[in-house]
Every structure is written in C-alpha cells, then in structure tokens.
Amino acid sequence: MSKPTLPELDSSLYPQVWEQQTFDDAQALLKAMLTGHITPDAKAFTKQLVSNNIYQEWVNFTVFGRYIQRTFAAFYQQSEDSFNMDMPALFRHELMRHTQYLPLEQLLFVAGDMPKSARQEKLFTTTINPATAVITMQELNQPANKSAIVNTQETIINQVRVRSKRVSGFAMRHNKRTSERTRNEVLILDFNDLRLVDEQSVGRSNIDNPILLRCYELR
C-alpha cells in the first residue's frame, strides 16, 4: 500500500491579511514579523489554522502529540542504556507507519540553529506557524538572567521548503487547553537530503541581535 500525500496547506492559508497588510506566502509573513513590520501573534495564527479544514485533515490523521515527540527524542539521545539499544529503531518503525508525505513547496520553520543531528538521523521538529518560530527565536536569544551580557551573535531562524514528494512526517496533535496548542509542530521522520540554499540578513525586529534567515530545501 502506497503512502498518501497530505493535501496542500499553504495554498489554502495564503494570501493573508495582517495589520492591514497582505502577504502572499509564509515567507513574506515571516519576514514582516522578523523586521518588526507586524507583531508575531502565535495564538492568532493558530486560530487561523484551527479553522482551516485542510489543517484539520493534517492533525486528525495522527494520534501523536508532544509527549510522543519528547519520548522519541529521548530514545535517540540515550547512548549508554544497552538493554534498550534497539528501542529507537523500533519506535521509529512504529511512528513511520503513521506518516504521510508532505506536499511539495510546503514551508516549515525551525527557530535557532538547525540540529546537527538532523541530516544523520533524518529527524527533526518544525512548525508551520511562523509566529511561533519568531517568538521561540526571541526566547532563545534572551540571556539566562537580566544582568547577563546580551549575546551579540546573530540570531538564527530557518525556513525549510519541501522539494521532494518523498518527505515523510506528520502534524502533532496538541492539547487545545494548554500553551502547546500554538506550537503547530510537524515532526519530520524521513527524507533524502537537507540542503542549505541561501542565507540572508533580514534586518532587526524587537531584539538587539542581527537576524539571519537560513533557507533550506528538503528532498
């Protein structure tokens, strides 16, 4: 039985109007948030997603939420428990049975550095909510305490575009009564190649550090 492909989501979400400005795609909306032209509002974007029939198809396809994602990540990170050394592969095999292929040109976002393990393990977590990515990026950039010296390194946000019909994953179903509902995460579980194709500075938002937008293609 062949694996189905999730229906196109971005084409049903855009163009969108935010603060009296029209954005044709997710990248344009993301850049406006990064440069401070509009305020990133994760709850408002989540509200748009929840009312979208195609997004409902995405999340209703799976029964897995953030608990599964955290547990799965923990299995992959453990290295000394030899008794359970086969568990990551078994766990992954079970999750793969519940994946679908992502639609071509779908845009996904990752705040901060792309995980170094992503290419090797063919596994990483993304969001389809650009506001969530921007807010998470800002939180990652804040010092641990207010008296700490602010890091002057570039603040990074990643845009990932699906360029192959063989990228497998699923949207995680979050608890509607918790703050997790604004995460709108998609767990990527299999692909052939993750390639950095562009880096660009997108100016400053309401944080002090310069912002670097890294654009990837996922095949």
Side-chain angles (χ1 to χ4, degrees):
M1 182 177 177
S2 62
K3 185 179 300 185
T5 299
L6 289 166
E8 291 185 13
L9 178 61
D10 279 356
S11 60
S12 69
L13 287 172
Y14 298 91
Q16 285 205 31
V17 177
W18 289 85
E19 298 179 8
Q20 300 181 332
Q21 300 178 60
T22 302
F23 301 97
D24 292 332
D25 53 37
Q27 184 182 62
L29 182 60
L30 175 73
K31 286 185 176 180
M33 293 177 183
L34 292 174
T35 56
H37 287 91
I38 63 171
T39 303
D41 190 333
K43 291 182 179 179
F45 196 90
T46 295
K47 187 176 180 180
Q48 293 254 17
L49 287 170
V50 170
S51 64
N52 184 284
N53 290 334
I54 292 179
Y55 181 69
Q56 288 302 318
E57 287 188 46
W58 278 42
V59 295
N60 288 333
F61 176 78
T62 180
V63 297
F64 298 126
R66 188 158 176 78
Y67 172 78
I68 288 293
Q69 186 269 338
R70 287 197 303 263
T71 306
F72 188 39
F75 270 122
Y76 261 82
Q77 290 167 4
Q78 66 88 19
S79 60
E80 297 179 359
D81 188 353
S82 59
F83 181 79
N84 289 327
M85 63 185 302
D86 293 329
M87 284 304 294
L90 293 172
F91 202 167
R92 186 181 191 126
H93 176 76
E94 181 61 25
L95 289 182
M96 282 294 293
R97 296 199 306 112
H98 297 270
T99 62
Q100 287 185 322
Y101 293 128
L102 271 63
L104 284 172
E105 302 302 317
Q106 176 64 47
L107 285 183
L108 307 162
F109 306 100
V110 179
D113 277 317
M114 182 67 70
K116 294 180 179 179
S117 61
R119 288 182 177 87
Q120 178 181 358
E121 297 177 355
K122 310 293 186 183
L123 166 72
F124 62 104
T125 304
T126 68
T127 179
I128 54 177
N129 189 332
T132 290
V134 172
I135 292 169
T136 303
M137 177 200 71
Q138 294 171 346
E139 291 173 347
L140 290 172
N141 189 62
Q142 292 175 351
N145 57 75
K146 294 182 179 179
S147 62
I149 298 175
V150 176
N151 190 350
T152 58
Q153 294 182 349
E154 290 173 315
T155 301
I156 298 169
I157 195 163
N158 307 284
Q159 172 189 285
V160 182
R161 186 183 298 272
V162 176
R163 291 289 198 182
S164 166
K165 296 181 179 180
R166 291 294 183 268
V167 177
S168 298
F170 57 78
M172 285 186 265
R173 185 185 296 183
H174 294 305
N175 192 327
K176 296 178 181 178
R177 292 180 293 275
T178 71
S179 60
E180 288 187 354
R181 67 188 182 277
T182 64
R183 300 183 71 94
N184 307 125
E185 289 170 309
V186 176
L187 182 62
I188 305 299
L189 273 164
D190 192 41
F191 55 90
N192 290 325
D193 186 33
L194 177 65
R195 185 176 305 172
L196 179 63
V197 295
D198 188 34
E199 289 186 350
Q200 52 185 281
S201 175
V202 290
R204 299 172 181 272
S205 63
N206 57 347
I207 61 176
D208 294 329
N209 294 359
I211 302 168
L212 183 65
L213 173 62
R214 290 179 175 164
C215 300
Y216 290 83
E217 289 185 353
L218 189 59
R219 298 181 182 273

